[in-house]
Amino acid sequence: MKRKIIEIDEEKCNGCGLCLPNCPEGGLQLIAGKARLVSDLFCDGLGACIGFCPQGAITVVEREAEPYDERRVMANIVRQGPEVIAAHLRHLEEHGEIGYLRQALSYLEKIGVENPLAKKGISAGEATLACGCPGSMILDLREAERGAGRPSKEVKIAKEERPAQESGKGASSRHDLPSELKQWPVQLFLVSPFAPYFQQADVLLVADCVAYALNGFHERFLRGKSIAIACPKLDKTHEAYEEKLLVLIDVARIKSLTVIMMQVPCCRGLLYLATQALSRARRKIPLRSVIVSVDGKILEDTFINEFAEETTSLE
């Protein structure tokens, strides 16, 4: 198709690179000492980079080019964080690109990332996405334990007192133990990779059924970690899940990822999503795989990449 797109004059370009950070779409790279448009798919033709070229080497021309791909552009932009997302949305709004703006906002909604301009509102009418659902509100429950440097009442009780004895049986009850969950929400579709509890955290990616089958899940795995749960068989947003994991690795800079799944074949989809995201990520982190039997036994606990220190298999 014929459309507007930037053109770089090689003779004028001196390779200063000032245009690169002003192309949040990711269309420009410095190659062999010159700025290059690496793909027509990433250039919207609006020329945000032009004013940052001191040599006047960048112009907008009209030529045959592949259609601009907002979805692929957003995959690049989300990995750069909320400020770059906001700049891109404003860029589209200011140029009246309502169609692209709707696509961008739809992509953010699909992968569960909050629109950073939602409080301000975008003057694109129906393009603005607003979700006031309390179920997806970010809650960092760690704050309850940080007040004045003191643990919460529940944590203090758990540390200082033994569980109450069941009447007439003399057996310890576990129902008073505090939850190890320190965040909300937990469903992968709803969590934001920019939430404070994910920043530089050890993260669990857990199949929905695991916590029901595995006794002591909170104490054995959840303590001190952040979590996202999903069902690779019932959830139909695998592509969005992979993108969200990619943001967790590259932007939230999580320290490790542990995938815990049931022994049933469909659960392997979680591990596939994790390995795919890691293969695309700029950073490399330890990846651990845990398989739980339907009767609640750990069948396998394995580090599956070169960053692991040990590999354990439990029969």
Side-chain angles (χ1 to χ4, degrees), residues 142 146 193 195-205 223-227 245-259 278 281 283-288 303 305-309:
R142 299 172 303 174
R146 292 175 180 161
Y197 45 76
F198 280 127
Q199 306 308 307
Q200 299 184 41
D202 292 303
V203 173
L204 302 180
L205 176 61
R223 179 173 295 160
K225 296 181 176 65
S226 297
I227 185 172
L245 291 172
L246 190 60
V247 177
L248 284 172
I249 296 167
D250 278 344
V251 181
R253 301 186 69 81
I254 63 175
K255 295 187 291 187
S256 67
L257 182 61
T258 299
V259 180
L278 265 174
R283 300 176 61 244
K284 301 303 175 187
I285 59 172
L287 176 62
R288 179 183 178 190
F303 281 96
N305 63 18
E306 66 270 28
F307 303 95
E309 295 179 357

Side-chain angles (χ1 to χ4, degrees), residues 47-271:
C49 54
I50 291 178
F52 297 91
C53 177
Q55 305 301 316
I58 305 175
T59 55
V60 174
V61 299
E62 189 169 332
R63 65 169 172 81
E64 290 291 330
E66 290 182 86
Y68 172 73
D69 190 333
E70 182 64 34
R71 188 196 66 80
R72 289 182 62 177
V73 164
M74 285 303 296
N76 274 343
I77 285 176
V78 167
R79 294 170 66 183
Q80 300 174 66
E83 291 184 2
V84 179
I85 295 174
H88 178 66
L89 296 180
R90 282 194 294 266
H91 175 64
L92 294 177
E93 181 190 16
E94 289 165 1
H95 285 81
E97 294 291 347
I98 304 306
Y100 289 154
L101 181 59
R102 290 197 185 105
Q103 291 176 35
L105 293 172
S106 175
Y107 181 86
L108 293 179
E109 183 182 42
K110 181 179 178 182
I111 68 169
V113 170
E114 183 181 4
N115 169 10
L117 300 182
K119 292 181 180 178
K120 159 198 162 192
I122 295 180
S123 58
E126 68 204 72
T128 301
L129 298 174
C131 179
C133 173
S136 60
M137 183 182 299
I138 293 175
L139 296 177
D140 189 347
L141 304 179
R142 299 172 303 174
E143 294 300 325
E145 297 181 9
R146 292 175 180 161
R150 297 187 300 272
S152 68
K153 179 180 178 182
E154 291 79 9
V155 172
K156 190 173 182 180
I157 290 173
K159 289 181 178 178
E160 295 180 358
E161 299 180 7
R162 292 182 177 276
Q165 301 296 311
E166 291 185 7
S167 174
K169 294 182 180 179
S172 294
S173 169
R174 295 169 58 85
H175 73 272
D176 286 330
L177 290 178
S179 170
E180 297 295 340
L181 182 65
K182 304 305 176 191
Q183 67 178 81
W184 187 263
V186 296
Q187 221 289 334
L188 184 55
F189 183 81
L190 296 175
V191 299
S192 168
F194 300 119
Y197 45 76
F198 280 127
Q199 306 308 307
Q200 299 184 41
D202 292 303
V203 173
L204 302 180
L205 176 61
V206 185
D208 293 353
C209 302
V210 166
Y212 294 97
L214 183 59
N215 187 29
F217 169 75
H218 278 233
E219 297 88 347
R220 298 171 72 177
F221 288 100
L222 184 54
R223 179 173 295 160
K225 296 181 176 65
S226 297
I227 185 172
I229 66 172
C231 177
K233 182 173 184 178
L234 301 180
D235 297 351
K236 304 302 181 185
T237 52
H238 292 186
E239 183 180 356
Y241 283 177
E242 184 181 322
E243 295 296 334
K244 189 169 293 191
L245 291 172
L246 190 60
V247 177
L248 284 172
I249 296 167
D250 278 344
V251 181
R253 301 186 69 81
I254 63 175
K255 295 187 291 187
S256 67
L257 182 61
T258 299
V259 180
I260 310 180
M261 54 203 153
M262 302 300 293
Q263 68 179 117
V264 294
C266 57
C267 260
R268 290 281 182 174
L270 280 187
L271 187 59

Side-chain angles (χ1 to χ4, degrees), residues 17-36:
L18 293 177
C19 57
L20 269 62
N22 295 288
C23 178
E25 294 79 18
L28 296 177
Q29 290 183 20
L30 205 59
I31 301 173
K34 301 286 183 179
R36 315 278 183 176

